Amino acid sequence: MPEDTRTLKIAIPKGSLEGPTIELLSKAGFEIYVSSRGLRPASNDPELDVYLIRAQEVGRYIGQGFIDCGITGYDWAYENGVELVDLAELPYSRATVRPTKWVLVVPEDSPIQKPEDLEGKRIATEGVGITQRYLDERGIKADVEFSWGATEVKVPDLVDAIVDVTETGSSIKANRLRIVDTLLTSFPHFYASPAAAADEWKREKMEQIALLLKAALGARGKVGLKMNLPQSQLEELLKLLPSLRRPTISQLAEEGWVAVETIIDETVVRDIIPALKRLGAEGIIEYPLNKIVP
């Protein structure tokens, strides 16, 4: 294939992770344009051939070699049981920054108190493979059935327990259910097929994407601060400033003054800026960050 026509087939998870994933890719420099009906989004990178695929299926299509790489949860890669090359863990999720958890859930008044109490019971879940492997590892024999969704409503009338996904646990509490155990904890990962990882051009392209994705996540919740400061107050500033690394300090043309630049957590800015003013800082600028590359 001619060098100028090479493309990388990349999958984005359709569903609850779709919006957060497109936002992350945008911060990494890759704009993804999704139409209301289309499953083949466009991109500002002509080397990317983008597919919008259900998160549950991304790992399978990568493992089978139909897609070169893509983002999906570790849980779905584990569920599919296919050989993948793990390029990066990406700690973000659909609603919060917490990982997704697959939990064993029963009604509040259920006699089931521990996993072993599932012996001979019925369990409904979308993650049949995850659940069956969990039971097999513990030598527990139970009937596991696939659930298409709305799994919470199936206990206790249709099944004895469910295995479901949660981030905050709020839905479980709202439905008067109780967590017995956690089967799996999952963040999205950036995966590649073994064939794509063995291709020099594709491997380099995927590693570039992974670097930028991790840099975008590294900038999450952080901002840059610039200011001018009397040099006599520099030592006090260094005690005050919780910087990512030691701040950058340079001399100004005006004698006795320095310019300071640093990166800090956005949550502390409201407390830091008044303190900086008390030290005599001037021209304080706060600016957003898209990426931090270690």
Side-chain angles (χ1 to χ4, degrees):
M1 182 180 291
E3 192 70 25
D4 60 351
T5 62
R6 297 212 65 173
T7 58
L8 184 74
K9 293 182 178 180
I10 182 170
I12 295 172
K14 180 176 176 59
S16 59
L17 272 178
E18 181 180 335
T21 301
I22 290 174
E23 182 181 356
L24 175 62
L25 283 163
S26 176
K27 288 183 183 258
F30 303 96
E31 297 293 342
I32 307 297
Y33 311 105
V34 182
S35 67
S36 59
R37 295 185 180 180
L39 299 179
R40 296 294 303 277
S43 167
N44 65 343
D45 185 340
E47 293 180 339
L48 294 184
D49 189 6
V50 185
Y51 291 74
L52 193 59
I53 301 173
R54 284 177 59 85
Q56 296 90 325
E57 300 177 302
V58 169
R60 177 159 53 87
Y61 284 120
I62 295 174
Q64 293 171 347
F66 294 112
I67 303 291
D68 295 316
C69 60
I71 295 173
T72 190
Y74 167 74
D75 49 358
W76 293 118
Y78 184 84
E79 167 77 8
N80 287 313
V82 291
E83 183 183 357
L84 303 173
V85 178
D86 192 352
L87 296 173
E89 181 181 63
L90 305 172
Y92 73 99
S93 57
R94 53 186 175 177
T96 68
V97 295
R98 301 174 184 175
T100 293
K101 292 183 178 181
W102 285 81
V103 290
L104 172 63
V105 177
V106 297
E108 286 180 344
D109 58 357
S110 170
I112 296 173
Q113 299 295 325
K114 57 186 185 299
E116 288 71 22
D117 295 336
L118 293 169
E119 187 72 31
K121 299 293 193 293
R122 290 169 58 85
I123 307 169
T125 181
E126 190 177 357
V128 172
I130 293 170
T131 304
Q132 193 61 61
R133 288 165 76 173
Y134 171 84
L135 296 172
D136 291 345
E137 288 169 1
R138 287 157 180 78
I140 300 168
K141 293 186 178 181
D143 183 17
V144 181
E145 63 181 49
F146 179 77
S147 175
W148 287 100
T151 313
E152 296 98 331
V153 304
K154 297 184 177 181
V155 285
D157 297 327
L158 302 178
V159 295
D160 301 291
I162 63 172
V163 171
D164 207 1
V165 176
T166 185
E167 283 183 28
T168 65
S170 57
S171 177
I172 291 171
K173 292 177 183 177
N175 285 282
R176 303 186 68 181
L177 302 173
R178 169 170 52 86
I179 295 175
V180 176
D181 197 10
T182 299
L183 284 68
L184 192 71
T185 298
S186 171
F187 272 124
H189 283 234
F190 183 39
Y191 291 110
S193 71
D199 181 286
E200 183 178 357
W201 181 86
K202 290 181 179 181
R203 180 78 188 212
E204 182 178 359
K205 180 72 175 179
M206 293 186 296
E207 287 178 348
Q208 289 174 357
I209 295 171
L211 172 68
L212 294 170
L213 288 171
K214 289 189 288 185
L217 285 172
R220 182 178 52 191
K222 299 188 183 299
V223 296
L225 272 185
K226 288 182 178 181
M227 72 204 78
N228 297 332
L229 184 79
Q231 190 161 5
S232 61
Q233 296 295 323
L234 184 55
E235 187 175 342
E236 290 301 313
L237 174 80
L238 295 178
K239 294 177 184 177
L240 173 69
L241 214 53
S243 60
L244 181 65
R245 288 187 173 87
R246 301 299 289 177
T248 301
I249 301 167
S250 54
Q251 293 293 139
L252 292 178
E254 185 177 350
E255 188 175 348
W257 284 79
V258 292
V260 180
E261 185 169 2
T262 190
I263 296 171
I264 63 173
D265 291 331
E266 189 174 13
T267 54
V268 304
V269 170
R270 64 185 181 191
D271 298 318
I272 289 289
I273 288 181
L276 294 175
K277 286 299 294 181
R278 288 193 292 270
L279 289 177
E282 297 180 354
I284 301 171
I285 299 173
E286 175 190 344
Y287 54 93
L289 302 172
N290 278 336
K291 305 177 193 67
I292 297 177
V293 182

